[in-house]
């Protein structure tokens, strides 16, 4: 029996309608941007396996460090104990995070990194004896799938079955180009109305990923962050997708003049090798928990907090960022994307092209309008799978978000595939 047949008997896949989805493709090996199935077919992973893989599959340096760690110390509880890789990782992250960040709290994934950030912000105010408990978020945001993360995410199909149990959040519009003033006035009005109640503002800096690679500029976000800062509203940058070079800098927050109070990280943190989440905070936040009173400690933790194997994968991945070549590649991918965008100008069925750093998104004009459930999605997905290219459009938005090891000729394979698709749609 093939891997996919055995899978279909026992597994349940994420974000998949098991009845109508095609059988999953069994992948047995990965190298660089390529994933190989049981028959030896290579698939070009143009979306970094759900945005996690920054360094290419089975990266030899990360593999070596992980294997060494497995033979040294696989896990130790993280309350009352510590270990070299957690200390090293925290020291190194703080060197590259925005300057005001001073503490690292570890967990297992992006949703928990967000969950930790929300709880940290709320307990910060509680520890200070203030009754602030409202969170501000952007319309259409995606911050993860746990209840807190769903609550601060945009209201839509993903959260509809759970909506009655989500906590109340104040949503403002995303400051997409041309809309900056609207977002700003919504925030100002909100502060006038709710001032003493607003605990924190959470946002995906510069790119809202899951809602369709919506992009906006630092000039749109900066004023919102300054207003929060001057009104005692904590700012939480969800860098789960944008972190670790995706936008051309280590963190998208570097494009801003105001530093966030809290930063959420995951996805690319281990180069795409192990599950790990991290939430960093400023010293001011940490101070509100630092007390003789046990009731002021941060009430959060996971059994696998700071898993040494995951921390060593993250340290190994950081080694690769210390190599200039990684940043040369990030810049090269951005330039290739820009050249590709110019070639697309002749296509009438494109509604918008957006690009920042290593991400390019192409929004197609369709009768159904822009939506995750746009029926064109499955056709596009299949079109690329037939050509052995992994692209998972968000509805009618096709995007490329590749591992940084992708070569120009590998990028061309993806570009040519997209052009072929656009030409076929034109007919
Ligand atoms: C993917 C993502 C999350 C959730 O991360 P998981 O590891 O999938 O739980 C949170 N925030 C953003 C911005 C993301 O892109």
């Amino acid at each position: 029996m093939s891997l996919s047949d055995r899978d279909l008997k026992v597994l349940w896949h994420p974000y998949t309608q098991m009845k109508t989805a095609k059988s999953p493709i069994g992948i047995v090996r990965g190298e660089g941007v390529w994933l190989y199935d049981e028959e030896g077919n290579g698939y070009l992973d143009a979306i970094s396996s759900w945005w996690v893989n920054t360094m290419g599959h089975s990266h030899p340096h990360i593999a070596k460090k992980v294997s060494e760690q497995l033979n040294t110390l696989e896990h130790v509880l993280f309350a009352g104990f510590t270990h070299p890789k957690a200390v090293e990782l925290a020291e190194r992250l703080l060197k590259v995070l925005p300057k005001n960040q001073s503490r690292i709290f570890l967990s297992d994934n992006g949703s928990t990194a967000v969950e930790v950030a929300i709880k940290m912000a709320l307990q910060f105010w509680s520890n200070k004896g203030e009754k602030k408990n409202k969170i501000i978020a952007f319309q259409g945001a995606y911050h993860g799938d746990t209840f807190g993360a769903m609550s601060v995410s945009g209201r839509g199909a993903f959260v509809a079955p759970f909506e009655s149990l989500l906590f109340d959040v104040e949503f403002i519009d995303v400051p997409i180009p041309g809309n900056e003033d609207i977002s700003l006035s919504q925030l100002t009005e909100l502060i006038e109305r709710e001032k003493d109640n607003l605990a924190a503002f959470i946002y995906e800096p510069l790119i809202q990923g899951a809602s369709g690679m919506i992009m906006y500029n630092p000039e749109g976000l900066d004023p919102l962050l300054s207003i929060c800062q001057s009104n005692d509203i904590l700012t939480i940058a969800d860098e789960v997708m944008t972190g670790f070079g995706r936008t051309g800098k280590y963190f998208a927050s570097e494009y801003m003049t105001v530093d966030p109070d809290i930063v959420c990280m995951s996805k690319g943190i281990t180069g795409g090798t192990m599950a790990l989440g991290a939430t960093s905070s400023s010293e001011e936040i940490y101070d509100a928990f630092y007390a003789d009173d046990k009731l002021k400690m941060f009430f959060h933790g996971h059994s696998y907090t700071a898993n040494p194997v995951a921390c060593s994968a993250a340290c190994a991945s950081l080694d690769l960022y210390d190599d200039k070549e990684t940043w040369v590649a990030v810049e090269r991918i951005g330039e290739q994307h820009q050249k590709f965008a110019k070639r697309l100008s002749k296509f009438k069925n494109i509604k918008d092209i957006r690009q920042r750093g290593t991400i390019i998104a192409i929004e197609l004009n369709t009768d159904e309008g822009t939506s995750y459930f746009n029926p064109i999605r499955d056709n596009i997905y299949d079109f690329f799978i037939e050509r052995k290219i992994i692209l998972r459009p968000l509805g009618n938005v096709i995007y490329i978000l590749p591992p940084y090891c992708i070569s120009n000729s590998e990028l061309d394979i993806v570009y040519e595939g997209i052009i072929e698709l656009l030409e076929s749609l034109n007919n």
Side-chain angles (χ1 to χ4, degrees):
M1 226 194 289
S2 74
L3 211 48
S4 36
D5 290 340
R6 281 166 57 202
D7 172 292
L8 286 176
K9 288 195 191 313
V10 290
L11 283 158
W12 191 347
H13 288 264
Y15 283 103
T16 300
Q17 175 45 266
M18 297 296 289
K19 182 164 183 193
T20 56
K22 295 223 164 83
S23 305
I25 298 166
I27 295 297
V28 294
R29 190 169 71 81
E31 188 180 343
V33 295
W34 298 96
L35 291 167
Y36 296 93
D37 70 11
E38 289 170 286
E39 275 121 44
N41 296 308
Y43 289 81
L44 199 163
D45 185 358
I47 55 157
S48 299
S49 281
W50 257 352
W51 319 348
V52 300
N53 192 300
T54 50
M55 297 302 175
H57 291 281
S58 309
H59 193 285
H61 177 68
I62 301 178
K64 178 167 166 274
K65 293 292 180 174
V66 165
S67 140
E68 283 169 11
Q69 186 61 43
L70 275 170
N71 287 304
T72 313
L73 173 69
E74 85 306 340
H75 190 62
V76 56
L77 74 165
F78 206 59
F81 295 86
T82 190
H83 61 82
K85 285 296 170 184
V87 175
E88 179 188 338
L89 176 60
E91 287 170 350
R92 293 177 70 177
L93 283 176
L94 291 173
K95 285 205 181 95
V96 296
L97 278 160
K99 288 210 168 39
N100 68 337
Q101 297 299 290
S102 81
R103 296 281 162 175
I104 304 289
F105 191 96
L106 295 163
S107 63
D108 325 305
N109 59 68
S111 303
T112 57
V114 167
E115 212 66 43
V116 165
I118 296 170
K119 285 178 70 175
M120 220 176 237
L122 293 174
Q123 198 184 333
F124 169 85
W125 292 116
S126 163
N127 280 3
K128 283 176 138 340
E130 295 202 37
K131 286 200 168 50
K132 289 172 177 245
N133 63 11
K134 268 272 162 75
I135 313 261
I136 311 167
F138 278 140
Q139 297 282 4
Y142 177 77
H143 294 292
D145 288 349
T146 52
F147 265 85
M150 278 197 293
S151 294
V152 295
S153 296
R155 299 295 183 261
F158 288 12
V159 303
F162 320 104
E163 196 164 338
S164 63
L165 295 176
L166 302 182
F167 58 74
D168 275 345
V169 166
E170 298 288 347
F171 289 102
I172 59 173
D173 285 359
V174 186
I176 52 170
N179 266 17
E180 288 91 346
D181 291 345
I182 299 177
S183 307
L184 195 57
S185 62
Q186 286 173 344
L187 181 61
T188 338
E189 279 164 33
L190 177 60
I191 291 173
E192 271 166 34
R193 186 155 41 92
E194 286 270 356
K195 180 161 177 33
D196 300 329
N197 219 351
L198 299 169
F201 167 45
I202 184 165
Y203 55 94
E204 292 158 272
L206 305 185
I207 307 178
Q208 284 192 311
S211 62
M213 297 295 159
I214 309 292
M215 302 198 188
Y216 60 99
N217 296 320
E219 299 75 41
L221 182 56
D222 247 335
L224 304 181
L225 298 183
S226 334
I227 293 189
C228 285
Q229 199 176 41
S230 48
N231 285 280
D232 282 337
I233 300 166
L234 298 177
T235 52
I236 304 172
D238 178 354
E239 296 253 16
V240 168
M241 188 278 278
T242 50
F244 300 95
R246 268 297 155 213
T247 67
K249 293 187 189 280
Y250 236 117
F251 294 99
S253 292
E254 284 172 47
Y255 288 96
M256 254 57 77
T257 58
V258 186
D259 285 345
D261 296 296
I262 298 176
V263 180
C264 308
M265 294 157 268
S266 186
K267 292 206 167 107
I269 192 170
T270 61
T273 304
M274 305 277 304
L276 181 68
T279 308
S280 67
S281 85
S282 66
E283 194 68 7
E284 190 198 346
I285 307 249
Y286 179 75
D287 275 346
F289 294 77
Y290 192 80
D292 294 317
D293 185 354
K294 274 200 175 176
L295 293 175
K296 288 198 169 172
M297 71 174 143
F298 185 36
F299 289 109
H300 196 95
H302 297 280
S303 12
Y304 278 104
T305 293
N307 174 256
V309 186
C311 289
S312 83
C315 288
S317 172
L318 290 181
D319 292 343
L320 303 172
Y321 288 93
D322 287 345
D323 182 347
K324 268 204 214 72
E325 288 306 312
T326 296
W327 295 101
V328 170
V330 163
E331 207 173 309
R332 172 181 54 78
I333 294 166
E335 287 163 6
Q336 295 298 312
H337 283 345
Q338 281 166 17
K339 279 191 222 156
F340 175 55
K342 291 210 181 86
R343 289 176 64 196
L344 296 180
S345 55
K346 63 174 177 182
F347 290 101
K348 304 262 178 311
N349 44 9
I350 295 178
K351 192 167 166 193
D352 192 26
I353 303 174
R354 304 183 277 273
Q355 184 264 335
R356 185 180 286 278
T358 65
I359 307 173
I360 184 166
I362 300 144
E363 184 173 338
L364 300 180
N365 237 332
T366 67
D367 294 340
E368 290 82 7
T370 294
S371 149
Y372 183 82
F373 297 98
N374 191 305
I376 200 173
R377 184 264 174 210
D378 290 351
N379 300 338
I380 302 176
Y381 179 79
D382 294 344
F383 178 94
F384 288 111
I385 287 294
E386 274 165 31
R387 284 157 185 77
K388 305 283 186 282
I389 299 168
I390 306 176
L391 283 178
R392 271 185 123 250
L394 294 155
N396 54 314
V397 179
I398 304 172
Y399 65 91
I400 313 176
L401 193 153
Y404 309 151
C405 63
I406 194 167
S407 68
N408 285 354
S409 56
E410 287 163 339
L411 274 171
D412 282 339
I413 297 175
V414 187
Y415 295 155
E416 293 309 324
I418 292 177
I419 287 191
E420 199 190 322
L421 171 86
L422 291 167
E423 279 167 353
S424 78
L425 292 177
N426 253 352
N427 295 327

